Amino acid sequence: SFGGAMSLRLGLLGATGLVGRTMLAVLAERGFPAEEPRLLASGRAGERALRFRGRELPVLPVGPETLAVLDVVLSAVANPLAEEWVPVARAAGAVVVDNSSAFRYRPEVPLVVPEVNGDLLAGRPGLVANPNCSTIGIVMALAPLARAARLSSVVVSTYQSVSGAGAEALEELERGVRAGLEGDPPPRAGGAPPFAFNVVPQIDRFEPDGWTREEMKVVWETRKILALPGLPVACTAVRVPVRVGHAAAVHAAFERALAPAEARALWSSFPGLRVVDDPAGGLFPTPLACAGRDEVLVGRARAGREDARELDFFVCADNLRKGAALNAVQIAERIFGIAPARP
């Protein structure tokens, strides 16, 4: 494992965003060996410093100079910035873990959830893609089931929190909730339907065939991470008026019967999953229960009404932590052989 006396030169690109700030917190919590991370943001960033392990660290403008001489870069920026700066960081010699979707679908770029397909990191790839925030929780719950009983199809409906759309969207939700207590919540910028007191069946842009890009991310990424390229997957991605925590209702079909009790046993022995499944006692996964936690919560397991080879369940994960920041840090830990201080 990584020597405790050494320190990696780490760059955090997109440090001032919700995911970037969460990455900084996760690095501190897990004792990641980076004494003074280089905090980077685009020129529009107004923040001058962020706190890390009791110290104020300056936020620097991203550029070739600030991306130089780094061992690892965690990138938490939108696709255009990732496409601009990830190749610069790679050319300067850094291993990059990228949270955008810019590189996820390139066959040569590993798309990794360490508990599921962490073996792909054994060769220490120079660029690793961090999956979509909903996909991570879904594949965490599917992986142990797929290994035990061959998976034949998946249908997913997501219930995604507003923090997945960024800090401005979260502020918009909170303004809308306050306004909606006295009247109709106002529309979002550009006239889009409000998040407050609403359920919006659109995340990302619509493709010409009627599916949104977010829905297709779940399809493509589930297949790639589980190494099941022909798996039939359908998804409806929905934004709900929740601050933090993405949930999903999953309907999975297998080639043999898979009873709920067997599913719970498989989940219980899988790292990073916590079974919360006692409906009679009012216990099941919810976004409020998973917010701030590292584990993916799974429950509401029930057998198909018509076919014992079908299983329905509900899964929740903190989209800023396991859905983004924590998964990226875990990838870096695995690549560099680091044992976290707090697993």
Side-chain angles (χ1 to χ4, degrees):
S1 69
F2 195 85
M6 299 175 68
S7 179
L8 284 173
R9 297 165 298 184
L10 181 140
L12 179 48
L13 176 56
T16 58
L18 285 177
V19 171
R21 289 169 183 264
T22 308
M23 282 179 172
L24 201 59
V26 169
L27 289 166
E29 289 167 13
R30 294 173 72 86
F32 192 92
E35 291 308 309
E36 193 168 320
R38 192 176 298 171
L39 307 185
L40 306 172
S42 66
R44 295 187 303 276
E47 301 282 348
R48 289 282 170 248
L50 291 174
R51 201 158 183 79
F52 181 70
R53 292 178 181 153
R55 300 168 58 201
E56 295 288 322
L57 297 181
V59 178
L60 307 171
V62 62
E65 305 81 13
T66 51
L67 284 171
V69 201
L70 292 171
D71 300 306
V72 58
V73 170
L74 304 182
S75 173
V77 293
N79 283 19
L81 285 171
E83 288 162 355
E84 181 178 2
W85 294 114
V86 165
V88 176
R90 285 288 305 117
V95 170
V96 179
V97 183
D98 180 53
N99 199 61
S100 80
S101 63
F103 306 99
R104 289 176 189 162
Y105 314 118
R106 298 187 184 183
E108 72 279 10
V109 177
L111 181 68
V112 175
V113 178
E115 297 90 340
V116 177
N117 62 345
D119 291 351
L120 296 179
L121 303 175
R124 194 164 169 171
L127 172 59
V128 182
N130 211 31
N132 172 273
C133 43
S134 279
T135 305
I136 289 175
I138 293 164
V139 298
M140 284 277 288
L142 283 173
L145 309 183
R147 291 170 188 172
R150 191 173 175 85
L151 194 56
S152 56
S153 68
V154 178
V155 180
V156 177
S157 295
T158 70
Y159 305 78
Q160 297 182 221
S161 67
V162 174
S163 58
E168 288 182 16
L170 204 51
E171 291 167 9
E172 204 163 31
L173 168 68
E174 293 176 353
R175 283 196 305 271
V177 167
R178 291 187 188 96
L181 292 172
E182 303 296 334
D184 292 335
R188 284 157 36 227
F195 289 138
F197 300 102
N198 209 8
V199 169
V200 182
Q202 179 193 357
I203 301 177
D204 212 326
R205 68 175 187 267
F206 283 103
E207 300 287 4
D209 59 7
W211 298 88
T212 66
R213 186 159 177 80
E214 185 79 2
E215 290 159 352
M216 294 313 301
K217 288 174 188 174
V218 173
V219 173
W220 298 326
E221 295 176 27
T222 298
R223 290 171 173 167
K224 185 170 178 176
I225 296 164
L226 295 178
L228 296 170
L231 180 69
V233 182
C235 176
T236 301
V238 181
R239 191 74 74 194
V240 294
V242 168
R243 283 192 181 100
V244 175
H246 285 1
V250 182
H251 175 86
F254 301 89
E255 290 190 1
R256 70 162 175 86
L258 185 68
E262 183 183 357
R264 292 186 200 104
L266 291 164
W267 289 328
S268 294
S269 62
F270 194 78
L273 286 179
R274 180 179 293 270
V275 178
V276 183
D277 199 356
D278 179 16
L283 293 175
F284 34 73
T286 66
L288 281 178
C290 76
R293 296 179 64 160
D294 290 346
E295 306 102 326
V296 174
L297 308 184
V298 62
R300 288 291 326 271
R302 54 214 190 274
R305 300 279 296 178
E306 316 298 333
D307 191 333
R309 294 172 298 178
E310 297 175 352
L311 186 79
D312 287 86
F313 58 89
F314 199 71
V315 60
C316 286
D318 184 319
N319 52 294
L320 299 177
R321 291 183 70 89
K322 184 55 182 171
L326 171 63
N327 199 75
V329 173
Q330 287 175 308
I331 289 169
E333 289 171 346
R334 185 86 169 250
I335 288 174
F336 290 97
I338 296 162
R342 195 205 77 179

